[in-house]
Amino acid sequence: MGRTVLGLEAFLNDPPGWAKTARVGLLTHAPAVDAAYRASAERLADFFGTRLKTLFGPQHGFFGDKQDNMIASDHGRHPGLGRRVFSLYGEKLKPDQEMLAGLEVLLVDLQDVGTRVYTYVQTLFLVMEACAEQGLKVVVLDRPNPLGRAVEGNLMEESCRSFVGLMALPMRHGLTVAELARLIRDRHHDLDLEVAAMKNYDPRAYFEATGLGWVMPSPNMPAVETAVVYPGQVIFEGTLLSEGRGTTRPFEILGAPYIEPYRLAERLAAYDLAGVVFRPVFFEPTFNKHAGSLCGGLFLHVIDRESFRPYRTSLAILQAVAELWPADFAYKPPPYEYEHRRRPIDLILGRPDLADMVVGGLDLEALEGEWAPALSEFRESCQDYYLY
């Protein structure tokens, strides 16, 4: 089959007619590179020349230099290309009329990780909304979903709408960026949308099957293994447990100073969770939660990706920790991702009663059964948006 040809490369190999004259902007970031690791912004600047007017960057900054959540990026200028760079993670999350002035087309080249709460999905949503309002064409250059087609979790409820969820998606959604854009256009924003699809891409496979090199989508996503556990482990951002930020393996590691690793591993054995081994560890984060403190916890080793269910696994961990250490376990208070009132855990899980039901000991299999019909309906509806 050969390596996957990215949407960026497909676009440049066979550019559409409008690309010869249009004035364009580009929403992109550091992980958007071609197969030779050259930045999308550089490739497109070479192609469009002075008609590439403006650049836009999502969370973590245009160059991926912002380490954590809620660290805003400033507007600036690209040091190599000389173009103005507007931040869409800071004072404004959605481009305004002034930012889009003079443009006819907005190109989008973002590397997502297949998880609803990853904020690049929300930035795509807001950019498409702004372009619909301003009458701009949007062109999405597609990239792989590192996790393939599998879907998992409850669909987000409208009461939990936030910058970690602007659409009714499950935690693991199984769509590429361009497929998500097609869904957004169909369900939310009426606009002129064009996509540059990939070639030689197996949508069911994990990232390694593409033959492409991994470039960190964000500072705490260092490896494909991180992305594999992320749809579950991200829920611990809504608690005072460390999700491993400040270590070299974020999200694969979790814990807190009060956790007894062997006791937690023993408790989780009763859940009979497939595809994963829990290794007891001690660690000391260098920043973020519990920085400089010795924490006990677990390292998640995924030994079978096909049977591993990240969301179910992390809900089980959440339930076990709350059961074993009820006096110590606590949720993280606001703010979180520009929300200052609602609990972060509710926004992450996408349902305001779910965390308390899990912590209260409700059977996880029963919960999955409850949301299974909606998940099945979502999976079926996605057939309309698949490109591969």
Side-chain angles (χ1 to χ4, degrees), residues 244-267:
R245 291 178 187 269
T247 76
T248 56
R249 302 299 291 204
F251 299 105
E252 292 178 277
I253 292 174
L254 87 154
Y258 60 83
I259 286 181
E260 301 168 44
Y262 292 92
R263 189 180 174 198
L264 179 56
E266 181 181 4
R267 177 66 186 90

mmCIF file with all atom_site columns, all heavy atoms in Angstrom, residues 244-267:
data_model
loop_
_atom_site.group_PDB
_atom_site.id
_atom_site.type_symbol
_atom_site.label_atom_id
_atom_site.label_alt_id
_atom_site.label_comp_id
_atom_site.label_asym_id
_atom_site.label_entity_id
_atom_site.label_seq_id
_atom_site.pdbx_PDB_ins_code
_atom_site.Cartn_x
_atom_site.Cartn_y
_atom_site.Cartn_z
_atom_site.occupancy
_atom_site.B_iso_or_equiv
_atom_site.pdbx_formal_charge
_atom_site.auth_seq_id
_atom_site.auth_comp_id
_atom_site.auth_asym_id
_atom_site.auth_atom_id
_atom_site.pdbx_PDB_model_num
ATOM 1   N N   . GLY A 1 244 ? -0.004  12.736 35.021 1.00 0.00 ? 244 GLY A N   1
ATOM 2   C CA  . GLY A 1 244 ? 1.332   12.485 34.515 1.00 0.00 ? 244 GLY A CA  1
ATOM 3   C C   . GLY A 1 244 ? 2.018   13.672 33.870 1.00 0.00 ? 244 GLY A C   1
ATOM 4   O O   . GLY A 1 244 ? 3.148   13.553 33.393 1.00 0.00 ? 244 GLY A O   1
ATOM 5   N N   . ARG A 1 245 ? 1.345   14.832 33.830 1.00 0.00 ? 245 ARG A N   1
ATOM 6   C CA  . ARG A 1 245 ? 2.057   16.029 33.364 1.00 0.00 ? 245 ARG A CA  1
ATOM 7   C C   . ARG A 1 245 ? 3.211   16.308 34.327 1.00 0.00 ? 245 ARG A C   1
ATOM 8   O O   . ARG A 1 245 ? 3.075   16.160 35.531 1.00 0.00 ? 245 ARG A O   1
ATOM 9   C CB  . ARG A 1 245 ? 1.112   17.232 33.317 1.00 0.00 ? 245 ARG A CB  1
ATOM 10  C CG  . ARG A 1 245 ? 0.043   17.135 32.239 1.00 0.00 ? 245 ARG A CG  1
ATOM 11  C CD  . ARG A 1 245 ? -0.885  18.339 32.301 1.00 0.00 ? 245 ARG A CD  1
ATOM 12  N NE  . ARG A 1 245 ? -2.019  18.210 31.407 1.00 0.00 ? 245 ARG A NE  1
ATOM 13  C CZ  . ARG A 1 245 ? -2.054  18.629 30.147 1.00 0.00 ? 245 ARG A CZ  1
ATOM 14  N NH1 . ARG A 1 245 ? -0.983  19.231 29.641 1.00 0.00 ? 245 ARG A NH1 1
ATOM 15  N NH2 . ARG A 1 245 ? -3.130  18.467 29.395 1.00 0.00 ? 245 ARG A NH2 1
ATOM 16  N N   . GLY A 1 246 ? 4.307   16.719 33.755 1.00 0.00 ? 246 GLY A N   1
ATOM 17  C CA  . GLY A 1 246 ? 5.497   16.910 34.573 1.00 0.00 ? 246 GLY A CA  1
ATOM 18  C C   . GLY A 1 246 ? 6.350   15.664 34.667 1.00 0.00 ? 246 GLY A C   1
ATOM 19  O O   . GLY A 1 246 ? 7.348   15.648 35.381 1.00 0.00 ? 246 GLY A O   1
ATOM 20  N N   . THR A 1 247 ? 5.953   14.599 33.938 1.00 0.00 ? 247 THR A N   1
ATOM 21  C CA  . THR A 1 247 ? 6.790   13.410 33.770 1.00 0.00 ? 247 THR A CA  1
ATOM 22  C C   . THR A 1 247 ? 7.072   13.257 32.284 1.00 0.00 ? 247 THR A C   1
ATOM 23  O O   . THR A 1 247 ? 6.518   13.974 31.450 1.00 0.00 ? 247 THR A O   1
ATOM 24  C CB  . THR A 1 247 ? 6.093   12.128 34.282 1.00 0.00 ? 247 THR A CB  1
ATOM 25  O OG1 . THR A 1 247 ? 5.087   11.721 33.331 1.00 0.00 ? 247 THR A OG1 1
ATOM 26  C CG2 . THR A 1 247 ? 5.442   12.349 35.637 1.00 0.00 ? 247 THR A CG2 1
ATOM 27  N N   . THR A 1 248 ? 7.904   12.290 31.938 1.00 0.00 ? 248 THR A N   1
ATOM 28  C CA  . THR A 1 248 ? 8.214   12.075 30.528 1.00 0.00 ? 248 THR A CA  1
ATOM 29  C C   . THR A 1 248 ? 7.190   11.187 29.826 1.00 0.00 ? 248 THR A C   1
ATOM 30  O O   . THR A 1 248 ? 7.286   10.988 28.615 1.00 0.00 ? 248 THR A O   1
ATOM 31  C CB  . THR A 1 248 ? 9.611   11.448 30.368 1.00 0.00 ? 248 THR A CB  1
ATOM 32  O OG1 . THR A 1 248 ? 9.665   10.243 31.131 1.00 0.00 ? 248 THR A OG1 1
ATOM 33  C CG2 . THR A 1 248 ? 10.688  12.408 30.852 1.00 0.00 ? 248 THR A CG2 1
ATOM 34  N N   . ARG A 1 249 ? 6.210   10.654 30.564 1.00 0.00 ? 249 ARG A N   1
ATOM 35  C CA  . ARG A 1 249 ? 5.154   9.829  29.954 1.00 0.00 ? 249 ARG A CA  1
ATOM 36  C C   . ARG A 1 249 ? 3.781   10.285 30.439 1.00 0.00 ? 249 ARG A C   1
ATOM 37  O O   . ARG A 1 249 ? 3.044   9.546  31.091 1.00 0.00 ? 249 ARG A O   1
ATOM 38  C CB  . ARG A 1 249 ? 5.360   8.348  30.283 1.00 0.00 ? 249 ARG A CB  1
ATOM 39  C CG  . ARG A 1 249 ? 6.687   7.785  29.855 1.00 0.00 ? 249 ARG A CG  1
ATOM 40  C CD  . ARG A 1 249 ? 6.910   7.853  28.366 1.00 0.00 ? 249 ARG A CD  1
ATOM 41  N NE  . ARG A 1 249 ? 6.044   6.947  27.612 1.00 0.00 ? 249 ARG A NE  1
ATOM 42  C CZ  . ARG A 1 249 ? 6.351   6.493  26.404 1.00 0.00 ? 249 ARG A CZ  1
ATOM 43  N NH1 . ARG A 1 249 ? 7.473   6.863  25.806 1.00 0.00 ? 249 ARG A NH1 1
ATOM 44  N NH2 . ARG A 1 249 ? 5.517   5.689  25.775 1.00 0.00 ? 249 ARG A NH2 1
ATOM 45  N N   . PRO A 1 250 ? 3.391   11.523 30.109 1.00 0.00 ? 250 PRO A N   1
ATOM 46  C CA  . PRO A 1 250 ? 2.082   12.013 30.539 1.00 0.00 ? 250 PRO A CA  1
ATOM 47  C C   . PRO A 1 250 ? 0.966   11.131 30.016 1.00 0.00 ? 250 PRO A C   1
ATOM 48  O O   . PRO A 1 250 ? 1.047   10.561 28.931 1.00 0.00 ? 250 PRO A O   1
ATOM 49  C CB  . PRO A 1 250 ? 2.018   13.420 29.927 1.00 0.00 ? 250 PRO A CB  1
ATOM 50  C CG  . PRO A 1 250 ? 3.042   13.422 28.838 1.00 0.00 ? 250 PRO A CG  1
ATOM 51  C CD  . PRO A 1 250 ? 4.115   12.499 29.278 1.00 0.00 ? 250 PRO A CD  1
ATOM 52  N N   . PHE A 1 251 ? -0.078  11.012 30.813 1.00 0.00 ? 251 PHE A N   1
ATOM 53  C CA  . PHE A 1 251 ? -1.296  10.244 30.549 1.00 0.00 ? 251 PHE A CA  1
ATOM 54  C C   . PHE A 1 251 ? -1.093  8.725  30.633 1.00 0.00 ? 251 PHE A C   1
ATOM 55  O O   . PHE A 1 251 ? -2.043  8.025  30.951 1.00 0.00 ? 251 PHE A O   1
ATOM 56  C CB  . PHE A 1 251 ? -1.943  10.634 29.205 1.00 0.00 ? 251 PHE A CB  1
ATOM 57  C CG  . PHE A 1 251 ? -2.360  12.077 29.176 1.00 0.00 ? 251 PHE A CG  1
ATOM 58  C CD1 . PHE A 1 251 ? -1.630  13.011 28.460 1.00 0.00 ? 251 PHE A CD1 1
ATOM 59  C CD2 . PHE A 1 251 ? -3.463  12.498 29.886 1.00 0.00 ? 251 PHE A CD2 1
ATOM 60  C CE1 . PHE A 1 251 ? -2.000  14.352 28.455 1.00 0.00 ? 251 PHE A CE1 1
ATOM 61  C CE2 . PHE A 1 251 ? -3.850  13.829 29.888 1.00 0.00 ? 251 PHE A CE2 1
ATOM 62  C CZ  . PHE A 1 251 ? -3.102  14.763 29.175 1.00 0.00 ? 251 PHE A CZ  1
ATOM 63  N N   . GLU A 1 252 ? 0.082   8.230  30.381 1.00 0.00 ? 252 GLU A N   1
ATOM 64  C CA  . GLU A 1 252 ? 0.340   6.813  30.648 1.00 0.00 ? 252 GLU A CA  1
ATOM 65  C C   . GLU A 1 252 ? 0.578   6.594  32.141 1.00 0.00 ? 252 GLU A C   1
ATOM 66  O O   . GLU A 1 252 ? 0.403   5.483  32.639 1.00 0.00 ? 252 GLU A O   1
ATOM 67  C CB  . GLU A 1 252 ? 1.543   6.321  29.855 1.00 0.00 ? 252 GLU A CB  1
ATOM 68  C CG  . GLU A 1 252 ? 1.313   6.269  28.357 1.00 0.00 ? 252 GLU A CG  1
ATOM 69  C CD  . GLU A 1 252 ? 2.546   5.833  27.614 1.00 0.00 ? 252 GLU A CD  1
ATOM 70  O OE1 . GLU A 1 252 ? 3.419   6.702  27.351 1.00 0.00 ? 252 GLU A OE1 1
ATOM 71  O OE2 . GLU A 1 252 ? 2.665   4.634  27.304 1.00 0.00 ? 252 GLU A OE2 1
ATOM 72  N N   . ILE A 1 253 ? 0.983   7.660  32.828 1.00 0.00 ? 253 ILE A N   1
ATOM 73  C CA  . ILE A 1 253 ? 1.205   7.637  34.279 1.00 0.00 ? 253 ILE A CA  1
ATOM 74  C C   . ILE A 1 253 ? 0.103   8.446  34.950 1.00 0.00 ? 253 ILE A C   1
ATOM 75  O O   . ILE A 1 253 ? -0.310  9.494  34.449 1.00 0.00 ? 253 ILE A O   1
ATOM 76  C CB  . ILE A 1 253 ? 2.577   8.245  34.626 1.00 0.00 ? 253 ILE A CB  1
ATOM 77  C CG1 . ILE A 1 253 ? 3.713   7.345  34.120 1.00 0.00 ? 253 ILE A CG1 1
ATOM 78  C CG2 . ILE A 1 253 ? 2.719   8.482  36.123 1.00 0.00 ? 253 ILE A CG2 1
ATOM 79  C CD1 . ILE A 1 253 ? 5.093   7.949  34.296 1.00 0.00 ? 253 ILE A CD1 1
ATOM 80  N N   . LEU A 1 254 ? -0.387  7.973  36.090 1.00 0.00 ? 254 LEU A N   1
ATOM 81  C CA  . LEU A 1 254 ? -1.285  8.781  36.905 1.00 0.00 ? 254 LEU A CA  1
ATOM 82  C C   . LEU A 1 254 ? -1.069  8.428  38.369 1.00 0.00 ? 254 LEU A C   1
ATOM 83  O O   . LEU A 1 254 ? -0.552  7.347  38.678 1.00 0.00 ? 254 LEU A O   1
ATOM 84  C CB  . LEU A 1 254 ? -2.747  8.541  36.541 1.00 0.00 ? 254 LEU A CB  1
ATOM 85  C CG  . LEU A 1 254 ? -3.471  7.381  37.252 1.00 0.00 ? 254 LEU A CG  1
ATOM 86  C CD1 . LEU A 1 254 ? -4.948  7.645  37.299 1.00 0.00 ? 254 LEU A CD1 1
ATOM 87  C CD2 . LEU A 1 254 ? -3.163  6.074  36.558 1.00 0.00 ? 254 LEU A CD2 1
ATOM 88  N N   . GLY A 1 255 ? -1.442  9.353  39.246 1.00 0.00 ? 255 GLY A N   1
ATOM 89  C CA  . GLY A 1 255 ? -1.318  9.065  40.668 1.00 0.00 ? 255 GLY A CA  1
ATOM 90  C C   . GLY A 1 255 ? -1.441  10.309 41.523 1.00 0.00 ? 255 GLY A C   1
ATOM 91  O O   . GLY A 1 255 ? -1.792  11.389 41.050 1.00 0.00 ? 255 GLY A O   1
ATOM 92  N N   . ALA A 1 256 ? -1.141  10.141 42.805 1.00 0.00 ? 256 ALA A N   1
ATOM 93  C CA  . ALA A 1 256 ? -1.223  11.227 43.782 1.00 0.00 ? 256 ALA A CA  1
ATOM 94  C C   . ALA A 1 256 ? -0.412  10.806 45.010 1.00 0.00 ? 256 ALA A C   1
ATOM 95  O O   . ALA A 1 256 ? -0.117  9.619  45.197 1.00 0.00 ? 256 ALA A O   1
ATOM 96  C CB  . ALA A 1 256 ? -2.676  11.513 44.155 1.00 0.00 ? 256 ALA A CB  1
ATOM 97  N N   . PRO A 1 257 ? -0.063  11.750 45.872 1.00 0.00 ? 257 PRO A N   1
ATOM 98  C CA  . PRO A 1 257 ? 0.748   11.402 47.049 1.00 0.00 ? 257 PRO A CA  1
ATOM 99  C C   . PRO A 1 257 ? 0.089   10.377 47.964 1.00 0.00 ? 257 PRO A C   1
ATOM 100 O O   . PRO A 1 257 ? 0.794   9.630  48.653 1.00 0.00 ? 257 PRO A O   1
ATOM 101 C CB  . PRO A 1 257 ? 0.918   12.752 47.756 1.00 0.00 ? 257 PRO A CB  1
ATOM 102 C CG  . PRO A 1 257 ? 0.830   13.774 46.664 1.00 0.00 ? 257 PRO A CG  1
ATOM 103 C CD  . PRO A 1 257 ? -0.202  13.224 45.728 1.00 0.00 ? 257 PRO A CD  1
ATOM 104 N N   . TYR A 1 258 ? -1.236  10.319 47.991 1.00 0.00 ? 258 TYR A N   1
ATOM 105 C CA  . TYR A 1 258 ? -1.919  9.414  48.925 1.00 0.00 ? 258 TYR A CA  1
ATOM 106 C C   . TYR A 1 258 ? -2.136  8.006  48.366 1.00 0.00 ? 258 TYR A C   1
ATOM 107 O O   . TYR A 1 258 ? -2.546  7.096  49.093 1.00 0.00 ? 258 TYR A O   1
ATOM 108 C CB  . TYR A 1 258 ? -3.262  10.006 49.347 1.00 0.00 ? 258 TYR A CB  1
ATOM 109 C CG  . TYR A 1 258 ? -4.237  10.259 48.226 1.00 0.00 ? 258 TYR A CG  1
ATOM 110 C CD1 . TYR A 1 258 ? -5.045  9.232  47.730 1.00 0.00 ? 258 TYR A CD1 1
ATOM 111 C CD2 . TYR A 1 258 ? -4.372  11.534 47.660 1.00 0.00 ? 258 TYR A CD2 1
ATOM 112 C CE1 . TYR A 1 258 ? -5.952  9.465  46.704 1.00 0.00 ? 258 TYR A CE1 1
ATOM 113 C CE2 . TYR A 1 258 ? -5.274  11.765 46.638 1.00 0.00 ? 258 TYR A CE2 1
ATOM 114 C CZ  . TYR A 1 258 ? -6.054  10.731 46.166 1.00 0.00 ? 258 TYR A CZ  1
ATOM 115 O OH  . TYR A 1 258 ? -6.944  10.969 45.146 1.00 0.00 ? 258 TYR A OH  1
ATOM 116 N N   . ILE A 1 259 ? -1.882  7.789  47.095 1.00 0.00 ? 259 ILE A N   1
ATOM 117 C CA  . ILE A 1 259 ? -2.208  6.500  46.483 1.00 0.00 ? 259 ILE A CA  1
ATOM 118 C C   . ILE A 1 259 ? -1.146  5.448  46.803 1.00 0.00 ? 259 ILE A C   1
ATOM 119 O O   . ILE A 1 259 ? 0.067   5.705  46.694 1.00 0.00 ? 259 ILE A O   1
ATOM 120 C CB  . ILE A 1 259 ? -2.376  6.661  44.960 1.00 0.00 ? 259 ILE A CB  1
ATOM 121 C CG1 . ILE A 1 259 ? -3.705  7.355  44.672 1.00 0.00 ? 259 ILE A CG1 1
ATOM 122 C CG2 . ILE A 1 259 ? -2.327  5.306  44.237 1.00 0.00 ? 259 ILE A CG2 1
ATOM 123 C CD1 . ILE A 1 259 ? -4.014  7.558  43.206 1.00 0.00 ? 259 ILE A CD1 1
ATOM 124 N N   . GLU A 1 260 ? -1.607  4.276  47.175 1.00 0.00 ? 260 GLU A N   1
ATOM 125 C CA  . GLU A 1 260 ? -0.742  3.108  47.385 1.00 0.00 ? 260 GLU A CA  1
ATOM 126 C C   . GLU A 1 260 ? -0.810  2.269  46.103 1.00 0.00 ? 260 GLU A C   1
ATOM 127 O O   . GLU A 1 260 ? -1.834  1.635  45.827 1.00 0.00 ? 260 GLU A O   1
ATOM 128 C CB  . GLU A 1 260 ? -1.238  2.301  48.577 1.00 0.00 ? 260 GLU A CB  1
ATOM 129 C CG  . GLU A 1 260 ? -1.284  3.096  49.878 1.00 0.00 ? 260 GLU A CG  1
ATOM 130 C CD  . GLU A 1 260 ? -2.041  2.360  50.969 1.00 0.00 ? 260 GLU A CD  1
ATOM 131 O OE1 . GLU A 1 260 ? -1.819  1.142  51.116 1.00 0.00 ? 260 GLU A OE1 1
ATOM 132 O OE2 . GLU A 1 260 ? -2.866  2.997  51.657 1.00 0.00 ? 260 GLU A OE2 1
ATOM 133 N N   . PRO A 1 261 ? 0.243   2.276  45.301 1.00 0.00 ? 261 PRO A N   1
ATOM 134 C CA  . PRO A 1 261 ? 0.181   1.690  43.961 1.00 0.00 ? 261 PRO A CA  1
ATOM 135 C C   . PRO A 1 261 ? -0.242  0.229  43.923 1.00 0.00 ? 261 PRO A C   1
ATOM 136 O O   . PRO A 1 261 ? -1.075  -0.157 43.091 1.00 0.00 ? 261 PRO A O   1
ATOM 137 C CB  . PRO A 1 261 ? 1.601   1.866  43.432 1.00 0.00 ? 261 PRO A CB  1
ATOM 138 C CG  . PRO A 1 261 ? 2.186   2.980  44.228 1.00 0.00 ? 261 PRO A CG  1
ATOM 139 C CD  . PRO A 1 261 ? 1.562   2.876  45.572 1.00 0.00 ? 261 PRO A CD  1
ATOM 140 N N   . TYR A 1 262 ? 0.293   -0.596 44.826 1.00 0.00 ? 262 TYR A N   1
ATOM 141 C CA  . TYR A 1 262 ? -0.007  -2.022 44.770 1.00 0.00 ? 262 TYR A CA  1
ATOM 142 C C   . TYR A 1 262 ? -1.452  -2.302 45.167 1.00 0.00 ? 262 TYR A C   1
ATOM 143 O O   . TYR A 1 262 ? -2.110  -3.194 44.612 1.00 0.00 ? 262 TYR A O   1
ATOM 144 C CB  . TYR A 1 262 ? 0.976   -2.799 45.650 1.00 0.00 ? 262 TYR A CB  1
ATOM 145 C CG  . TYR A 1 262 ? 2.381   -2.770 45.089 1.00 0.00 ? 262 TYR A CG  1
ATOM 146 C CD1 . TYR A 1 262 ? 3.282   -1.780 45.475 1.00 0.00 ? 262 TYR A CD1 1
ATOM 147 C CD2 . TYR A 1 262 ? 2.796   -3.717 44.157 1.00 0.00 ? 262 TYR A CD2 1
ATOM 148 C CE1 . TYR A 1 262 ? 4.557   -1.736 44.948 1.00 0.00 ? 262 TYR A CE1 1
ATOM 149 C CE2 . TYR A 1 262 ? 4.083   -3.684 43.625 1.00 0.00 ? 262 TYR A CE2 1
ATOM 150 C CZ  . TYR A 1 262 ? 4.961   -2.680 44.025 1.00 0.00 ? 262 TYR A CZ  1
ATOM 151 O OH  . TYR A 1 262 ? 6.216   -2.639 43.488 1.00 0.00 ? 262 TYR A OH  1
ATOM 152 N N   . ARG A 1 263 ? -1.945  -1.518 46.085 1.00 0.00 ? 263 ARG A N   1
ATOM 153 C CA  . ARG A 1 263 ? -3.341  -1.669 46.502 1.00 0.00 ? 263 ARG A CA  1
ATOM 154 C C   . ARG A 1 263 ? -4.279  -1.298 45.359 1.00 0.00 ? 263 ARG A C   1
ATOM 155 O O   . ARG A 1 263 ? -5.295  -1.980 45.123 1.00 0.00 ? 263 ARG A O   1
ATOM 156 C CB  . ARG A 1 263 ? -3.598  -0.793 47.725 1.00 0.00 ? 263 ARG A CB  1
ATOM 157 C CG  . ARG A 1 263 ? -4.954  -1.019 48.375 1.00 0.00 ? 263 ARG A CG  1
ATOM 158 C CD  . ARG A 1 263 ? -5.109  -0.102 49.588 1.00 0.00 ? 263 ARG A CD  1
ATOM 159 N NE  . ARG A 1 263 ? -6.450  -0.191 50.159 1.00 0.00 ? 263 ARG A NE  1
ATOM 160 C CZ  . ARG A 1 263 ? -6.964  0.703  50.974 1.00 0.00 ? 263 ARG A CZ  1
ATOM 161 N NH1 . ARG A 1 263 ? -6.241  1.778  51.344 1.00 0.00 ? 263 ARG A NH1 1
ATOM 162 N NH2 . ARG A 1 263 ? -8.177  0.564  51.456 1.00 0.00 ? 263 ARG A NH2 1
ATOM 163 N N   . LEU A 1 264 ? -3.955  -0.233 44.637 1.00 0.00 ? 264 LEU A N   1
ATOM 164 C CA  . LEU A 1 264 ? -4.788  0.183  43.520 1.00 0.00 ? 264 LEU A CA  1
ATOM 165 C C   . LEU A 1 264 ? -4.744  -0.846 42.388 1.00 0.00 ? 264 LEU A C   1
ATOM 166 O O   . LEU A 1 264 ? -5.787  -1.196 41.813 1.00 0.00 ? 264 LEU A O   1
ATOM 167 C CB  . LEU A 1 264 ? -4.339  1.553  43.002 1.00 0.00 ? 264 LEU A CB  1
ATOM 168 C CG  . LEU A 1 264 ? -5.111  2.125  41.809 1.00 0.00 ? 264 LEU A CG  1
ATOM 169 C CD1 . LEU A 1 264 ? -6.609  2.215  42.101 1.00 0.00 ? 264 LEU A CD1 1
ATOM 170 C CD2 . LEU A 1 264 ? -4.561  3.498  41.414 1.00 0.00 ? 264 LEU A CD2 1
ATOM 171 N N   . ALA A 1 265 ? -3.562  -1.352 42.084 1.00 0.00 ? 265 ALA A N   1
ATOM 172 C CA  . ALA A 1 265 ? -3.448  -2.367 41.036 1.00 0.00 ? 265 ALA A CA  1
ATOM 173 C C   . ALA A 1 265 ? -4.235  -3.618 41.391 1.00 0.00 ? 265 ALA A C   1
ATOM 174 O O   . ALA A 1 265 ? -4.902  -4.217 40.522 1.00 0.00 ? 265 ALA A O   1
ATOM 175 C CB  . ALA A 1 265 ? -1.977  -2.700 40.802 1.00 0.00 ? 265 ALA A CB  1
ATOM 176 N N   . GLU A 1 266 ? -4.200  -4.003 42.647 1.00 0.00 ? 266 GLU A N   1
ATOM 177 C CA  . GLU A 1 266 ? -4.939  -5.183 43.087 1.00 0.00 ? 266 GLU A CA  1
ATOM 178 C C   . GLU A 1 266 ? -6.453  -4.957 42.945 1.00 0.00 ? 266 GLU A C   1
ATOM 179 O O   . GLU A 1 266 ? -7.184  -5.863 42.506 1.00 0.00 ? 266 GLU A O   1
ATOM 180 C CB  . GLU A 1 266 ? -4.586  -5.503 44.535 1.00 0.00 ? 266 GLU A CB  1
ATOM 181 C CG  . GLU A 1 266 ? -5.295  -6.738 45.081 1.00 0.00 ? 266 GLU A CG  1
ATOM 182 C CD  . GLU A 1 266 ? -4.932  -7.026 46.532 1.00 0.00 ? 266 GLU A CD  1
ATOM 183 O OE1 . GLU A 1 266 ? -4.194  -6.220 47.147 1.00 0.00 ? 266 GLU A OE1 1
ATOM 184 O OE2 . GLU A 1 266 ? -5.397  -8.050 47.061 1.00 0.00 ? 266 GLU A OE2 1
ATOM 185 N N   . ARG A 1 267 ? -6.912  -3.770 43.291 1.00 0.00 ? 267 ARG A N   1
ATOM 186 C CA  . ARG A 1 267 ? -8.338  -3.480 43.174 1.00 0.00 ? 267 ARG A CA  1
ATOM 187 C C   . ARG A 1 267 ? -8.780  -3.505 41.713 1.00 0.00 ? 267 ARG A C   1
ATOM 188 O O   . ARG A 1 267 ? -9.860  -4.018 41.385 1.00 0.00 ? 267 ARG A O   1
ATOM 189 C CB  . ARG A 1 267 ? -8.644  -2.104 43.791 1.00 0.00 ? 267 ARG A CB  1
ATOM 190 C CG  . ARG A 1 267 ? -10.106 -1.670 43.655 1.00 0.00 ? 267 ARG A CG  1
ATOM 191 C CD  . ARG A 1 267 ? -11.019 -2.566 44.455 1.00 0.00 ? 267 ARG A CD  1
ATOM 192 N NE  . ARG A 1 267 ? -12.435 -2.271 44.230 1.00 0.00 ? 267 ARG A NE  1
ATOM 193 C CZ  . ARG A 1 267 ? -13.196 -2.817 43.294 1.00 0.00 ? 267 ARG A CZ  1
ATOM 194 N NH1 . ARG A 1 267 ? -12.664 -3.718 42.458 1.00 0.00 ? 267 ARG A NH1 1
ATOM 195 N NH2 . ARG A 1 267 ? -14.466 -2.495 43.176 1.00 0.00 ? 267 ARG A NH2 1
#
